[in-house]
């Protein structure tokens, strides 16, 4: 089951509860904490500082053991010692801020590679724990904190019948109960299910063209296996946090969905369109959240009436899936935010779209714009992204270039170097714009190369040779735009005037001449 960790304001508060207490607070306490923390980074940090004040009576070693143990990364003696030493260095007074930083770091390691790959399983478990804990504490029925330990502890399993079922909270537990309707026809609009306390799940199969609207109370997660043309209505669902298509035989519809519910597609190997109709989306600044996990069939999600669409790409239960493939059609969206830890291949269609923010996506993005007319795109340098621009004047902003956190370019061969570049297709010099920001301690400036120097680079025997010459000619902390073959490349050099793996490379495919006014660096 995927873990959804996206742009949700409740996560920092829950990270502190899980890191220090290993449990989720009651609904009333959680709401009070959210008010105290606010929605800004500064507010979250101030709340974290205050939260950690109650634990300063513990030694640095005890604090390190508590935090790392509750995050599920122990035993790890060297890590525990390192955290203890860090707390000694920064002072126990800052333990709340340190806990929040650790929680955010661990949350981003679902797809970690190299030495950090050992934390992937812990990251998946941590993210799942956080989201389920948020679901628990957001449920008004949970007037007490959860039991200490994993909130994913299984409760009871109940199966619906072909008749009209009424499942009361007296039949469920305060843990994670599961209600099954795995045969088409078992879930109907006459069914009534009250999950009570805990984080409960309904798994149901709908027949082709079926339309169902059951009464659900305190059932936080619903997974639908949908026949072609099936529709699930959430009109009578309260407390629903996640609504997923868990494989579909064709087009399906989710209707009357609350804006606070995250809608997702998972385990889909055959293409199908999911139309999502959010309730209450008649305003001019509506926001909604969607998620993808193990979507490999080229699915499509159609979301109308939403101005800001938050999209989360995450790993699912299939280890072989490394990239989610899905089309996003959002006719009213003005902004799409792409986040997550799983690579994403997507075509985004939206006539009103003006902003795509993928600056927090921690994996490779292969993005194509369709039906757009001028979009500002924000990327990071963590992966070899590929962007195909649309009509109109687009702006591509790429941050964090030429630094230790950026993707290492592969300078083994010309082919590997080209493959590790961030590629922009459809760039029109004089109309579109690319803005590059370096992660170096020294500001990056454009290198002013003469025509003979640029001609020498263009005449190189390979891209690797061209980039090597550009690095040495341009100098340290410089961005060098040069043509090679039928393309323009921009090399962002780090603090050394040689080509190295910490440099970054941007490729403007098919651009043979780049106007100086069409690119900027900072």
């Amino acid at each position: 089951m995927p873990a959804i960790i996206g742009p949700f304001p409740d996560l920092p508060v829950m990270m502190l509860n899980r890191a220090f207490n290993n449990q989720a607070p009651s609904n009333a306490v959680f709401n009070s904490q959210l008010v105290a923390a606010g929605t800004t980074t500064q507010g979250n940090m101030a709340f974290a500082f205050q939260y950690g004040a109650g634990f300063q009576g513990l030694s640095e070693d005890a604090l390190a053991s508590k935090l790392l143990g509750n995050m599920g990364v122990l035993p790890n003696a060297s890590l525990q010692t390192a955290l203890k030493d860090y707390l000694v260095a920064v002072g126990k007074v800052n333990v709340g801020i340190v806990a929040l930083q650790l929680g955010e770091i661990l949350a981003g390691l679902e797809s970690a590679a190299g030495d950090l790959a050992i934390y992937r399983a812990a990251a998946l478990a941590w993210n799942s724990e956080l989201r389920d804990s948020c679901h628990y504490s957001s449920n008004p029925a949970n007037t007490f904190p959860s039991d200490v330990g994993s909130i994913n502890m299984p409760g009871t399993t109940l199966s619906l019948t072909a008749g009209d079922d009424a499942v009361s909270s007296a039949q469920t537990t305060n843990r994670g109960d599961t209600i099954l309707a795995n045969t088409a026809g078992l879930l109907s609009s006459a069914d009534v299910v009250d999950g009570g306390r805990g984080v409960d799940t309904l798994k149901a199969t709908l027949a082709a063209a079926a339309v169902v609207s059951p009464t659900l109370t305190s059932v936080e997660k619903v997974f639908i296996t949908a026949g072609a043309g099936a529709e699930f209505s959430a009109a009578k669902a309260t407390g629903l946090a996640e609504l997923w298509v868990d494989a579909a035989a064709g087009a399906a519809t989710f209707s009357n969905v609350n804006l606070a519910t995250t809608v997702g597609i998972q385990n889909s190997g055959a293409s199908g369109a999911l139309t999502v109709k959010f309730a209450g989306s008649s305003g001019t600044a509506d926001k909604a959240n969607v998620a993808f996990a193990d979507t490999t069939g080229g699915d499509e999600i159609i979301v109308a009436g939403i101005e800001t669409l938050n999209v989360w790409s995450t790993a699912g239960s299939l280890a072989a899936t490394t990239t989610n493939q899905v089309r996003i059609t959002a006719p009213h969206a003005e902004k799409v935010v792409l986040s997550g830890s799983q690579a994403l291949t997507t075509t985004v269609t939206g006539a009103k779209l003006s902003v795509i923010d993928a600056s927090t996506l921690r994996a490779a993005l292969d993005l194509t714009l369709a039906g757009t007319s001028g979009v500002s795109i924000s990327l990071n340098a963590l992966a070899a992204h590929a962007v195909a621009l649309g009509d109109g004047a687009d702006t591509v902003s790429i941050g964090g270039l030429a630094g230790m956190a950026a993707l290492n370019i592969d300078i083994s061969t010309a082919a590997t170097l080209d493959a590790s570049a961030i590629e922009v297709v459809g760039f029109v010099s004089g109309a579109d714009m690319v803005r590059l920001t370096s992660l170096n301690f020294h500001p990056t400036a454009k290198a002013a190369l003469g025509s003979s120097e640029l001609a020498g680079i263009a005449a190189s025997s390979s891209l690797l040779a061209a980039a090597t010459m550009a690095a040495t000619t341009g100098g340290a902390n410089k961005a060098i735009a040069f043509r090679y073959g039928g393309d323009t490349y921009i090399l962002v050099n780090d603090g050394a005037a040689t080509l190295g793996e910490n440099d970054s490379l941007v490729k403007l495919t098919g651009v043979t001449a780049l106007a100086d006014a069409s690119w900027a660096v900072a």
Side-chain angles (χ1 to χ4, degrees):
M1 188 175 296
I4 307 173
I5 298 295
F8 304 108
D10 49 2
L11 286 174
V13 169
M14 189 55 70
M15 283 182 180
L16 294 167
N17 280 280
R18 296 301 320 185
F20 282 102
N21 299 320
N22 199 22
Q23 64 181 167
S26 69
N27 175 256
V29 170
F30 188 51
N31 288 335
S32 176
Q33 291 175 340
L34 290 176
V35 172
T39 58
T40 66
T41 300
Q42 293 85 349
N44 289 333
M45 287 297 181
F47 178 77
F49 183 86
Q50 181 184 26
Y51 197 102
F55 297 86
Q56 292 176 34
L58 299 176
S59 69
E60 289 84 356
D61 190 51
L63 286 169
S65 177
K66 171 184 280 290
L67 296 180
L68 297 177
N70 288 343
M71 291 182 187
V73 295
L74 292 183
N76 189 320
S78 60
L79 183 62
Q80 184 173 338
T81 299
L83 180 55
K84 178 199 72 174
D85 293 343
Y86 184 69
L87 288 172
V88 170
V90 302
K92 288 191 296 182
V93 67
N94 294 306
V95 67
I97 295 175
V98 172
L100 183 57
Q101 292 171 334
L102 285 173
E104 291 173 341
I105 291 171
L106 182 59
L109 296 179
E110 284 189 3
S111 301
D115 294 340
L116 295 177
I118 61 173
Y119 299 110
R120 292 179 64 171
L124 285 166
W126 173 244
N127 288 342
S128 179
E129 199 73 57
L130 288 172
R131 287 314 308 162
D132 283 351
S133 294
C134 287
H135 296 341
Y136 178 94
S137 296
S138 297
N139 185 351
N142 291 322
T143 56
F144 296 94
S146 69
D147 295 336
V148 173
S150 175
I151 206 165
N152 294 312
M153 293 293 290
T156 189
T157 298
L158 302 172
S159 296
L160 300 185
T161 69
D164 298 341
D165 296 290
V167 178
S168 70
S169 58
Q171 297 171 262
T172 60
T173 71
N174 63 351
R175 293 185 173 181
D177 301 311
T178 301
I179 296 91
L180 299 177
N182 289 335
T183 301
L186 293 185
L187 181 66
S188 72
S189 297
D191 291 327
V192 178
V193 179
D194 186 346
R197 293 182 61 191
V199 178
D200 307 305
T201 301
L202 168 66
K203 298 180 179 180
T205 297
L206 303 186
V211 179
V212 299
S213 181
T215 300
L216 305 178
T217 303
S218 297
V219 177
E220 287 75 14
K221 300 182 182 183
V222 172
F223 294 84
I224 300 294
T225 300
E231 178 177 347
F232 176 89
S233 171
K236 297 185 290 183
T238 58
L240 180 59
E242 299 178 21
L243 176 58
W244 292 83
V245 164
D246 187 14
T253 300
F254 287 161
S255 60
N256 299 299
V257 181
N258 191 289
L259 285 169
T261 301
T262 295
V263 175
I265 302 175
Q266 75 165 13
N267 299 333
S268 182
S271 59
L274 172 64
T275 298
V276 184
K277 300 177 181 179
F278 283 99
S281 59
S282 58
T284 59
D286 295 310
K287 298 180 180 180
N289 303 314
V290 299
F292 308 118
D294 292 338
T295 55
T296 59
D299 299 86
E300 179 180 14
I301 191 164
I302 303 171
V303 182
I306 299 298
E307 284 73 36
T308 299
L309 188 64
N310 297 316
V311 179
W312 185 253
S313 178
T314 185
S317 58
L318 303 178
T321 302
T322 58
T323 302
N324 287 313
Q325 303 172 37
V326 64
R327 301 185 305 280
I328 301 169
T329 300
H332 300 100
E334 299 168 6
K335 181 179 182 179
V336 173
V337 180
L338 305 176
S339 306
S341 58
Q342 186 85 315
L344 176 65
T345 296
T346 184
T347 296
V348 179
T349 303
K352 296 185 177 181
L353 188 63
S354 61
V355 174
I356 291 184
D357 184 356
S359 59
T360 59
L361 181 66
R362 298 187 296 273
L365 172 66
D366 189 337
L367 170 67
T368 300
L369 300 181
T372 59
S373 57
V375 178
S376 176
I377 304 168
S378 298
L379 304 173
N380 56 46
L382 300 180
H385 307 299
V387 177
L389 302 181
D391 296 331
D394 297 316
T395 298
V396 181
S397 300
I398 308 173
L401 295 161
M404 295 298 294
L407 172 75
N408 288 345
I409 57 174
D410 190 339
I411 57 177
S412 302
T413 66
T416 59
L417 175 61
D418 192 53
S420 58
I422 297 174
E423 183 180 16
V424 180
V425 178
F427 188 91
V428 178
S429 180
D432 297 321
M433 182 75 183
V434 60
R435 300 183 183 275
L436 309 177
T437 304
S438 172
L439 201 62
N440 287 328
F441 293 107
H442 303 286
T444 296
K446 291 183 180 181
L449 302 186
S451 57
S452 60
E453 292 171 312
L454 291 172
I457 294 173
S460 298
S461 59
S462 69
L463 174 61
L464 181 59
T468 300
M469 183 180 296
T472 55
T473 306
N477 300 310
K478 289 296 195 308
I480 309 101
F482 62 92
R483 181 181 61 82
Y484 181 78
D487 309 306
T488 291
Y489 294 85
I490 303 175
L491 177 70
V492 181
N493 221 354
D494 63 6
T498 56
L499 183 66
E501 63 178 14
N502 287 328
D503 298 332
S504 295
L505 188 65
V506 176
K507 178 181 181 180
L508 305 179
T509 300
V511 176
T512 56
L514 178 62
D516 188 67
S518 285
W519 70 293
V521 297

